[in-house]
Structure formats: C-alpha cells, structure tokens
Amino acid sequence: NIIRTTHIHADGTRDVSEDKLTLDGQHRIIYSESTWNGEPQATTEIGYNQDGQITKLYINRINVLDDEDWKSYVDRTYDRKGRLVREDTRWEPDHNSSGYIVYIYEKDRLIRTESYLQEALDSYTEYTYDESGLIQTAIAYDADGIKESKRITTSDEYGNELESVAYAYASERTRYGEADENPDSRTTYVYELKQS
C-alpha cells in the first residue's frame, strides 16, 4: 500500500502526498485520509468483491468547489477473467460530469480505454508495452484524436509502480502554443513493508 508519494516537477520543486490508512484483516485499504503537503485533501472508502477486487469507491474531495466538497461514487465491473471492463462514475454536486470508462484488452493486456461523458465519447487512451511488460506507455487523446498527454510508467516484477514520467501536451499548448517532448513531471513511489 502506498503511504507517501513524492512528486518532483521539471523546475525541481517537490510535492508530497501522504495517506493515513485503515486496513481490513487481509491488509486491504478500506478507508484512507489523504493530505497534500500536509493539508487535508480527501477521504476514501473502498469496497471489494469476493475475489478481492475493488468494486466500489466513495471519494470525498475536501473544499475543492468554492469551499464545497466534491464527491464521486464509482462502481467497477469485471469480466470472467477478472479484468476491469467498465467503471461508472457519478459526481455530486455536478451530475453533468457523470459518465463511464470502457476497458479494451488484447491478449490479456490493456490496449485502450474509452471515456464517455454521459453517453458521448470524451477521450481515449492507447497503451503499449516494452518486451518485458514492465514499462508501459499511455498516450491520451481527446475525442477528436488530438494528443493530450503521455505517461511512461516503470513497474517492478510484482506490478508495483516505481516511477512515472508525464508529458502534458494539452497544458503546454494552452500555455505556450506548442508541445515538446521534455518531461513535465517525474513521480517516484515509496511503499510500506508488509509484515507477515
């Protein structure tokens, strides 16, 4: 379980995200309180199915909408192989942002996700992998096929994320009128040790 994440930005500044966790008897997170640089950010409640997969998420983001909390209710659906195939999200107080994500696989590897706002395609992401399968590249596009971002993730042999390098094409175009291939952020992950 991740308890601390350090974000190192292109300009060298750092941000620290920490989570105070409540675990069940199987060492799964059922409740967390999140902070960003020491300030309260959110609380999260998590539900699991009999296979240990997350089926329900309730996240309360603290004071993000003009001092009002922003809440999301997520329901996840899995196929017979245990792969996530759909994620429905309802937002409060803004119901117009509600929608769903469809997950598409090829040879048991995620190759594409499609995000829908209400019933209209809003964006999609395509995934590729290196030969080892430990490095994944995700490129996100808007509904018109314009590249929005890229994320290169390195994981260990157990699937735990070790590092994520992000490229923010959409925000670069907004700020500078063009996008480059210099990383916009690099994130490293620190895990707690599981005691057996």
Side-chain angles (χ1 to χ4, degrees):
N1 297 318
I2 297 173
I3 57 172
R4 183 181 302 106
T5 305
T6 302
H7 306 269
I8 303 171
H9 302 278
D11 63 2
T13 59
R14 291 175 179 245
D15 290 305
V16 178
S17 170
E18 294 186 283
D19 293 301
K20 180 181 176 186
L21 308 176
T22 302
L23 308 175
D24 66 8
Q26 296 178 13
H27 206 73
R28 299 179 302 196
I29 302 168
I30 55 173
Y31 185 79
S32 73
E33 298 174 53
S34 302
T35 60
W36 180 262
N37 295 328
E39 294 293 321
Q41 288 296 115
T43 59
T44 304
E45 296 176 37
I46 304 173
Y48 300 87
N49 64 16
Q50 62 188 14
D51 296 321
Q53 298 164 311
I54 295 172
T55 55
K56 296 195 179 297
L57 277 170
Y58 165 60
I59 303 172
N60 182 34
R61 294 156 189 85
I62 301 167
N63 294 328
V64 295
L65 295 173
D66 298 321
D67 294 327
E68 185 178 3
D69 291 356
W70 194 22
K71 302 170 186 171
S72 62
Y73 302 85
V74 177
D75 291 303
R76 290 181 175 170
T77 305
Y78 299 85
D79 66 11
R80 290 180 183 157
K81 291 185 174 183
R83 301 177 303 192
L84 179 62
V85 293
R86 184 169 166 134
E87 185 174 84
D88 291 88
T89 304
R90 180 173 50 89
W91 292 92
E92 289 183 359
D94 182 14
H95 296 288
N96 293 327
S97 297
S98 297
Y100 60 94
I101 301 171
V102 176
Y103 296 78
I104 302 165
Y105 298 85
E106 186 176 283
K107 297 181 181 176
D108 289 330
R109 280 205 172 149
L110 179 66
I111 59 164
R112 183 176 168 109
T113 57
E114 297 176 352
S115 297
Y116 292 84
L117 188 59
Q118 304 297 332
E119 293 297 323
L121 179 66
D122 183 57
S123 63
Y124 61 94
T125 302
E126 294 178 340
Y127 301 87
T128 59
Y129 303 83
D130 75 345
E131 300 80 27
S132 71
L134 299 179
I135 297 177
Q136 175 198 74
T137 300
I139 302 176
Y141 301 86
D142 69 10
D144 296 324
I146 297 171
K147 191 186 293 185
E148 296 288 308
S149 66
K150 178 169 70 173
R151 182 175 182 228
I152 301 173
T153 303
T154 304
S155 302
D156 65 16
E157 64 271 21
Y158 305 106
N160 298 310
E161 285 188 25
L162 301 176
E163 180 181 67
S164 177
V165 180
Y167 303 79
Y169 304 121
S171 62
E172 288 174 356
R173 283 194 302 271
T174 300
R175 281 183 287 185
Y176 310 116
E178 59 184 37
D180 63 36
E181 281 297 329
N182 292 314
D184 293 285
S185 69
R186 183 179 306 271
T187 305
T188 56
Y189 298 89
V190 177
Y191 297 85
E192 70 168 336
L193 294 176
K194 183 177 179 182
Q195 305 296 323
S196 45

